Amino acid sequence: MTIENQSDAMKLANDIQMAMITKPALTMLEVFLPSYVTDEINTHIDSVRDDAKSFSHELVGQIKSNEKSAQLDMDFKHKPVLGLKKLLEGFALSYLNYQGIVEAKIDCCSMWSVHSYEGDYNPLHDHGVRTDMGMSCILYLKVPPQIEKLPGSAEDFVKGGLKLNLNGASGSTDGFTFFSWGINGSADIKRLKPVQESFVKPEVGKLLMFPNWLKHAVSPFYGEGERRTLSANFEIEPKQAPILADTKVLAQTPTKESNEITGAPV
């Protein structure tokens, strides 16, 4: 191949087709609920908190540092909880549709609130369901101000250039949720292996939905205030065989537009 001038070089550059192909290891749905939805949920939780049954016997969370620390069952008999259950099941269907699963029986089988205070934490764990396919979600309902002021919000990531610094006892992930979906470490990144972990900052109204096998943990925080979340598990029975990765839906390189789900199921 001979390039004799700038014109030849430009023609070659225009004729070459090139694309970066990413093979997904994890897909997570992120939803931001309006404040009037989180306000209604918080109001309901506050109204039943004193009488709600503990759910800690089903959970690994070390939520015990304060007399108010608790993990409480969300009773589907209550209208606000039943309405939230249906909304979350709609989100789960949107997630499955993105994966190429058009129809499935989805049951939000359990739901609970977590009331964390200074020193409370959740060790690394995943969630179990009775079906082969399952999902889980986390909804952030209250965030103490000392966590709110930390960098790492969705807006920070959109702006770009954000790098969490854990050196110097920075406390930059206090109260954050940690996700891990592999065994790659910092040395592996230098060998062009992908990052397989992430810290997520709690933000009121942010909801994360993911496969139930995804390991996650919550770091403790320090100071005043309540870190309140709501979690749920979903048992899923697809009405079709799962779509393999060689189909058009999963093999295409995602674009910004294809990654976004506009609107919400009702």
Side-chain angles (χ1 to χ4, degrees), residues 16-126:
I16 290 176
Q17 297 184 11
M18 180 171 59
M20 299 296 291
I21 300 175
T22 301
K23 298 298 184 181
L26 172 70
T27 301
M28 186 181 296
L29 177 64
E30 182 181 74
V31 179
F32 283 90
L33 298 178
S35 59
Y36 59 81
V37 174
T38 55
D39 288 345
E40 181 181 354
I41 297 170
N42 277 322
T43 298
H44 170 74
I45 291 175
D46 290 336
S47 69
V48 302
R49 183 170 178 172
D50 291 341
D51 299 319
K53 295 179 180 179
S54 173
F55 204 60
S56 61
H57 62 286
E58 298 283 351
L59 306 170
V60 301
Q62 302 301 300
I63 314 300
K64 58 182 181 178
S65 298
N66 187 293
E67 61 180 10
K68 296 180 181 179
S69 298
Q71 299 171 101
L72 303 176
D73 182 40
M74 298 284 286
D75 193 340
F76 292 131
K77 294 179 181 178
H78 295 144
K79 187 175 180 180
V81 181
L82 183 60
L84 180 60
K85 168 184 163 73
K86 293 179 179 179
L87 180 66
L88 295 180
E89 289 171 346
F91 291 150
L93 181 59
S94 295
Y95 180 100
L96 295 175
N97 289 167
Y98 183 79
Q99 299 286 357
I101 299 174
V102 178
E103 188 177 0
K105 179 183 177 182
I106 303 171
D107 179 31
C108 179
C109 55
S110 59
M111 187 186 301
W112 63 96
S113 60
V114 182
H115 307 261
S116 302
Y117 295 84
E118 180 178 23
D120 289 333
Y121 69 98
N122 219 315
L124 191 65
H125 67 286
D126 55 19

Side-chain angles (χ1 to χ4, degrees), residues 202-219:
E203 297 176 87
V204 174
K206 179 194 288 183
L207 184 148
L208 302 173
M209 186 168 286
F210 46 87
N212 67 299
W213 51 257
L214 178 61
K215 290 189 177 296
H216 54 287
V218 177
S219 304

Side-chain angles (χ1 to χ4, degrees), residues 2 26 59 65 123 154 178-179 202 211 230 238 255:
T2 303
L26 172 70
L59 306 170
S65 298
F178 173 72
F179 292 96
L230 180 148
T255 63

Side-chain angles (χ1 to χ4, degrees), residues 165-171:
N165 181 17
L166 297 176
N167 295 339
S170 65

Side-chain angles (χ1 to χ4, degrees), residues 184-195:
N184 289 352
S186 57
D188 293 306
I189 309 305
K190 299 176 182 178
R191 297 158 61 192
L192 298 180
K193 291 188 176 183
V195 174

